[in-house]
Amino acid sequence: MDRLEELVNQWIWRQDFWLPPGVTWKDIAEGTVDGGRHPVPHDLLISLPLALGFIALRFVFERVVALPLSQRLGVRDRVRVRLTPVPKLEAFYLQKKQQPSQSDLLVLEKHCGLSQRQIQTWLRHRRNQDRPGNTRKFCEASWRFVFYLIVFSAGLVSLISTPWFWDHRECWRGYPRQAVAEAQYWYYIVELSFYLSLLLCVSVDIKRKDFKEQIIHHIATIFLIAFSYCANYVRVGTLVMLVHDSSDFLLESAKMFNYAGWRKTCDALFVVFAAVFLVTRLVVFPCRIVYTAVVDSLDVFPPYSGYYFLNGLLLVLQALHIFWAWLILRMVHKFVFLGKVERDERSDEESEAEEEEDEGGEEEHSWEQKKGALNSKLASLANNCVLNNLTNQRRKMNSRMPKAR
């Protein structure tokens, strides 16, 4: 056992990677002279069982709290078309779950005895059956809203009285001998456990339009939290988490009211969310937090591998912020010129392919209505033309007949 621990300390908790040159784990431990806690890497291991606990708590919350709340707020799921079972089409759908190619349509047409149009319509309705309903989306958004609101409030209370909350240069004063308060320790552990639970549930959660970006965000956040704790960059790490939590609960609340059909409330929350997001992610985060991590830290230690690793993760998050800000500004443009938020460009809708399929069904229904109206008009015009021709011919015949004397 001692040999295993020695190997772990030698290859995983290497001081030359986690800590600046000349700094050891003993130097960090000396920061607890005032009665605080000092970061130890194996403290993070508790986040694994806590992540599983978050998954279990979410399961209970969505069924005991979120589901009854969705019913009280009037959340309604869209009625799906009942399909006639076609075993061969069902087998094709379960195997591919994507738009069929022209060759696929020809093969299915021969085996099923249906036209290509009927096959495409059946597959579209089948895909729509697997799309999550508003109730499921509401329950997921409710869980995240409650977590982000609680953790942001607790984080703000624990940090607002600290000197580095107001002056970011204080993040490096006395480094590495900086004690970690108990509240800040649990702030770290809870955040890390929550993002681990999100990563574990990614295969069963609703896949949204920014699915890949969300995966990158979760992984970068987990590495950033773990590394900043081990290297005792806790002061910078708490500010990063607080900035992110400040707008996330507003986004989830806007989603909840969107699914419930409360358009005015949703639009008002979206405006507040957009303002907070753009200020915190495009101004506060790069100009204060990233700046102090890149520039102010050089007054304390020279660049080393961990310095580049930490700032690289911060820049990855900033790139994601710019991407999401662009989506949000598109929504702001729609809100200003159309007067409402049609949909959440950031992550409210599923993939664009599914979105186009749903719109295709609506367009097909609208086209069928227009086609029927057009046919009736053409039939009416044809009847009028026939009647006019008969009337003209009768008049010509009457004019040619000799008048009786």
Side-chain angles (χ1 to χ4, degrees), residues 12-43:
I12 299 181
W13 310 129
R14 293 176 54 184
Q15 293 182 158
D16 58 345
F17 175 79
W18 294 99
L19 303 177
V23 178
T24 65
W25 298 118
K26 184 179 179 181
D27 296 330
I28 294 179
E30 291 177 356
T32 61
V33 293
D34 56 354
R37 173 190 289 269
H38 72 278
V40 180
H42 61 71
D43 288 345

Side-chain angles (χ1 to χ4, degrees), residues 120-128 357-358 360-361 364:
Q120 290 175 329
T121 302
W122 192 96
L123 291 174
R124 180 170 58 250
H125 290 319
R126 181 65 181 85
R127 281 188 292 268
N128 288 338
E357 290 158 10
D358 186 62
E364 178 186 356

